[in-house]
Amino acid sequence: MKTLTDTFVLANGVEIPCIGYGTWQTPSGDVAKDSVKAALDAGYRHIDTAFAYGNEADVGEGIKASGVNRKDIFLTTKHWITERGYEKTVAAIDASLKNLDVDYLDLYLVHWPCVEKISPEWKEINADTWRGFERMYQDGKIRALGVSNYQQKHLEALDEFATVKPVVNQIEFHPGYTQIDNVRYCQNHGMLVQAWSPLGNGAVLKDETLAAIAAKYGRSVAQICIRFALQNDVLPLPKSVTPSRIAENARVFDFELAEDDVKTLMDMPMLGFSGYYPEEAPADALVNGD
Ligand code: A2P
């Protein structure tokens, strides 16, 4: 990867720019609109949002304000837990298309799996939701289907009934919390892994080990975290509403982490974990979206 527009190729052949601009916790209104425009001005061509973030409409406006052609942007949004089931899912996709004011999505993700703790029927519930995804994929409204926050057991259950396979799993991934077994499982089963909170939601930025590695390369800790994802074939989705940081997070193509530093980052003790984990802390028990 040499530029923001270099791509990973998904298992269904769709190309996806190698760094996405994240919008979790970006407030709705002008902040979201202006920061999405700033990201597109800085050269990002991949935007990640979700119905639950409450900013889809502003993301859509930011895209329009940028003047960049819709077809030159890779746009992802996510299905929320309140919309599970076939009919509700089909309606939810139409609602997101309307919010974003676009006529197709590049990628649509199940935001969180339904899990056993929430319902003994979790497999059937996830299957019904997925059928809605498949219908909209067949109808040409979505170019690629994926999931988010799925663990191996949820992926295996989905594989039993899916006729269109998920090509992405978006999970929390950063130094200090890599879920590496899940990452490698996905990569070995036709899924690109995307990293939400690749900077540990800011919580890893002051860590001494990370600071020492950053100093060695003359880079910021944020840039080290983004390289760490890329060098593990994980697609990072850094979020910032600050134009200087948006630009900084994209300047990661003129250096490479040595293997021993990647290993140090991989082996770090737990740091910056969000606490969100589907089986122990199901999304249905959460209130704020991710
Ligand atoms: P802000 O949006 O105010 O600029 P993550 O993507 O891991 O969830 O992290 C997002 C958090 O990290 C936000 O608080 C964001 O702040 C902050 N952030 C993003 N990029 C940088 C950067 N280059 N340097 C310092 N903080 C950053």
Side-chain angles (χ1 to χ4, degrees), residues 227-243:
R227 278 287 335 167
F228 174 65
L230 288 173
Q231 289 186 221
N232 278 289
D233 294 322
V234 171
L235 189 155
L237 301 165
K239 172 267 179 187
S240 175
V241 295
T242 314

Side-chain angles (χ1 to χ4, degrees), residues 26-36 53-59 61-62:
T26 297
S28 59
D30 284 347
V31 176
K33 177 182 165 185
D34 295 346
S35 58
V36 165
Y53 301 169
N55 57 22
E56 284 180 322
D58 311 295
V59 169
E61 285 191 27

Side-chain angles (χ1 to χ4, degrees), residues 197-202 205 222 237-242 245 248-249:
S197 284
L199 318 177
N201 201 10
L205 298 178
L237 301 165
K239 172 267 179 187
S240 175
V241 295
T242 314
R245 291 174 173 174
E248 176 187 318
N249 296 344

Side-chain angles (χ1 to χ4, degrees), residues 10 19 38 46 59 90 95 102 113 138 154 192 208 211 218 222 227-228 266 286-287:
L10 300 175
I19 295 182
H46 173 177
V59 169
V90 168
V102 294
Q138 310 293 5
H154 313 123
L192 174 73
E208 279 177 18
R227 278 287 335 167
F228 174 65
M266 185 59 79
L286 304 174
V287 285

Side-chain angles (χ1 to χ4, degrees), residues 9-178:
V9 182
L10 300 175
N12 68 344
V14 168
E15 291 190 51
I16 179 168
C18 64
I19 295 182
Y21 176 68
T23 64
W24 176 40
Q25 295 178 327
T26 297
S28 59
D30 284 347
V31 176
K33 177 182 165 185
D34 295 346
S35 58
V36 165
K37 181 180 179 304
L40 291 164
D41 289 348
Y44 291 74
R45 288 295 178 272
H46 173 177
I47 311 285
D48 180 277
T49 183
F51 176 81
Y53 301 169
N55 57 22
E56 284 180 322
D58 311 295
V59 169
E61 285 191 27
I63 289 172
K64 281 199 204 97
S66 75
V68 179
N69 278 337
R70 164 70 186 97
K71 69 170 174 39
D72 294 328
I73 297 171
F74 191 100
L75 182 59
T76 302
T77 193
K78 311 183 193 82
H79 170 273
W80 190 234
I81 58 176
T82 50
E83 310 306 308
R84 289 180 180 136
Y86 176 81
E87 298 292 343
K88 284 173 92 176
T89 294
V90 168
I93 295 167
D94 278 331
S96 283
L97 289 167
K98 199 162 171 237
N99 287 342
L100 287 156
D101 197 17
V102 294
D103 50 20
Y104 70 95
L105 299 170
D106 294 283
L107 176 65
Y108 194 59
L109 305 178
V110 181
H111 205 144
W112 287 91
C114 184
V115 298
E116 205 156 5
K117 200 167 173 178
I118 296 300
S119 169
E121 309 289 307
W122 64 277
K123 286 187 187 178
E124 291 73 19
I125 292 171
N126 288 332
D128 279 347
T129 301
W130 194 254
R131 274 190 272 280
F133 274 55
E134 289 174 333
R135 148 89 188 276
M136 297 304 250
Y137 180 80
Q138 310 293 5
D139 286 356
K141 292 193 177 177
I142 311 172
R143 297 176 64 223
L145 303 183
V147 295
S148 185
N149 302 303
Y150 270 49
Q151 295 163 258
Q152 186 173 334
K153 69 183 281 194
H154 313 123
L155 293 166
E156 283 169 352
L158 185 132
D159 196 51
E160 282 171 29
F161 55 77
T163 55
V164 181
K165 303 294 181 190
V167 293
V168 165
N169 189 11
Q170 183 181 126
I171 59 176
E172 181 175 1
F173 174 92
H174 51 77
Y177 190 70
T178 62

